Amino acid sequence: MTMALGPAQASDFSAPWKDADRALVIDAYEYNPIDWAELATDKRIVGFINKASDGMPPAYFCFGDETETRLCKALWKRHAVAQELFQTRKVVAKALGLKWGAYHLARPGNPVGQANNFINFAKPGPDDLLALDIEDDDPTKWMSLEDAEEFVRHVHRRLGRFPVLYTNGKTARHIADNTYKYRLLSRLPLWYARYKPDIGVHFPMGNWQGYVLWQFSAKANCGRFRCPYRVAGTPNDIDVNVAPMDAATLRAQWPFGGLIDAQPDYLASIPVPLSREAGLAGNAITYATVVASPSFTEMIAMFSARWAEFRSSFQMPAVKTLLRLPRGIAEYVAWTLKEKPSASAVEAAPAASDPVSTASTEFDRGLR
């Protein structure tokens, strides 16, 4: 399941939210107040992505002293309230015609358990966007990228589709530089977080040709006096995202549940010669892909096939089949007088004419 996302335009990397044709999406967590009536007045808002789960769920049973028990119960109550608020917002957003999405805040450890927690919390429908939030490439505070690979794989096992990857420029660049190691993360649609008006020099174009969402406004760069974009009915610290497409296209491509097309390996490609006129005109060098190096899985499959072929070449040759010979003197005399076959006839006899066979050709000659 792949997605063919075309290369983004240069304007999509420089304050694209100023283009009234570009669709916007907001994402919120449980403490962001939302005035839904006011929010509905902004027609550029196409989608609403809400925080769902956070790491692992709290313990269902509480143990320990009084303080530990009270803390355990408070965490469980917060979890239950957050889940109820999530489902309520989902109903309201869809009633207003907004596309819905959910993201999981990834914590260290147990990627399969976190994936199950995310799915059980969000209860996603087939048209709900899913996102894995990797805040930074620091495995002591956030989910490691190796665990994130397993998280994504388990979501696909259960739902048959993939989440979007939310991360910052530093982590995205690290993944792009190590695509051989992060084969799934490097092919997830990218939800890019950077709070600068221009990201052209920072975007990891070596792997992703564009983003599906760019989180350009948040508490980091939106205050009382200055903000890249203010959404009616939301506070200043609300996260606002821009898509490199109009509202109709975003609705059609939502929820981005596939993998992006694998990019050609420039180490396994050759530059296509340019004419002098094309070079003077400033045309960029293009590359023709050649056969890329096989992956480990492909090498194992190739070795297994070659080994089976090699082993079959040492199988025993087909065994010659003999006509049934007579038993006893009387039968032998009758057989000799009536229908004793010649040696050439025995050699040419079809294999199916007699079920008796032997693997010894010397024994075969001795009988003849």
Side-chain angles (χ1 to χ4, degrees):
M1 183 165 53
T2 60
M3 301 170 54
L5 296 176
Q9 303 296 323
S11 59
D12 292 325
F13 296 100
S14 180
W17 56 88
K18 294 181 180 179
D19 183 352
D21 186 52
R22 292 291 183 258
L24 300 177
V25 174
I26 64 173
D27 65 278
Y29 73 117
E30 56 267 28
Y31 294 118
N32 289 134
I34 306 293
D35 185 333
W36 293 97
E38 286 291 324
L39 176 64
T41 61
D42 191 335
K43 301 305 179 183
R44 290 183 63 184
I45 304 297
V46 173
F48 193 103
I49 305 175
N50 203 88
K51 178 187 173 185
S53 46
D54 186 333
M56 292 291 292
Y60 189 77
F61 296 101
C62 296
F63 302 97
D65 57 27
E66 182 181 356
T67 303
E68 292 173 334
T69 303
R70 289 177 60 186
L71 177 60
C72 173
K73 290 182 177 180
L75 290 174
W76 180 255
K77 182 178 179 180
R78 176 186 174 186
H79 176 79
V81 170
Q83 191 171 26
E84 186 67 25
L85 177 62
F86 177 91
Q87 296 298 336
T88 302
R89 284 181 171 178
K90 180 178 181 178
V91 172
V92 175
K94 290 193 171 186
L96 293 174
L98 298 176
K99 289 293 185 179
W100 180 257
Y103 71 88
H104 172 80
L105 185 57
R107 302 290 185 176
N110 199 347
V112 172
Q114 291 194 54
N116 287 329
N117 182 34
F118 179 40
I119 296 171
N120 297 338
F121 188 108
K123 298 178 175 60
D127 193 41
D128 294 346
L129 181 144
L130 302 174
L132 174 61
D133 182 351
I134 303 292
E135 289 289 323
D136 202 357
D137 185 19
D138 183 355
T140 64
K141 297 180 180 179
W142 313 105
M143 180 182 286
S144 69
L145 299 182
E146 290 75 16
D147 280 353
E149 286 268 308
E150 184 56 34
F151 179 99
V152 170
R153 192 174 292 110
H154 192 67
V155 169
H156 185 264
R157 287 192 200 107
R158 286 194 57 180
L159 301 179
R161 58 193 177 103
F162 297 95
V164 170
L165 174 64
Y166 169 93
T167 195
N168 56 28
K170 173 188 171 185
T171 307
R173 171 56 62 188
H174 179 69
I175 294 172
D177 290 342
N178 296 274
T179 56
Y180 67 94
K181 188 176 182 181
Y182 307 117
R183 293 184 176 274
L184 277 179
L185 294 183
S186 61
R187 294 190 60 194
L188 295 180
L190 182 61
W191 179 4
Y192 192 71
R194 189 171 179 86
Y195 312 115
K196 300 291 184 181
D198 192 349
I199 60 170
V201 238
H202 304 281
F203 193 81
M205 286 294 291
N207 183 73
W208 288 281
Q209 298 306 302
Y211 53 84
V212 293
L213 292 173
W214 169 12
Q215 188 181 87
F216 67 90
S217 180
K219 185 178 180 178
N221 65 339
C222 181
R224 180 179 176 185
F225 301 105
R226 179 179 298 178
C227 188
Y229 190 91
R230 297 188 189 276
V231 179
T234 64
N236 291 334
D237 63 346
I238 198 75
D239 296 335
V240 190
N241 309 269
V242 62
M245 59 195 81
D246 58 24
T249 307
L250 180 59
R251 290 179 183 276
Q253 295 193 15
W254 196 278
F256 304 102
L259 298 175
I260 64 172
D261 291 337
Q263 300 302 319
D265 186 355
Y266 288 102
L267 294 178
S269 60
I270 55 174
V272 177
L274 287 176
S275 65
R276 185 173 184 275
E277 294 77 13
L280 292 175
N283 292 352
I285 296 178
T286 57
Y287 290 82
T289 57
V290 295
V291 178
S293 302
S295 65
F296 180 74
T297 305
E298 293 169 339
M299 290 175 66
I300 291 295
M302 187 185 307
F303 177 79
S304 300
R306 292 291 183 268
W307 172 251
E309 183 179 345
F310 175 76
R311 185 177 58 183
S312 65
S313 66
F314 284 93
Q315 291 180 353
M316 294 296 294
V319 180
K320 292 184 179 180
T321 330
L322 299 176
L323 295 174
R324 186 178 65 83
L325 297 178
R327 298 178 182 177
I329 298 176
E331 188 177 353
Y332 176 76
V333 171
W335 175 72
T336 303
L337 295 175
K338 294 184 179 180
E339 49 185 354
K340 179 180 179 181
S342 64
S344 59
V346 174
E347 286 285 350
S353 63
D354 194 340
V356 180
S357 62
T358 175
S360 172
T361 53
E362 293 299 326
F363 179 67
D364 182 11
R365 294 192 190 98
L367 288 178
R368 292 202 299 271

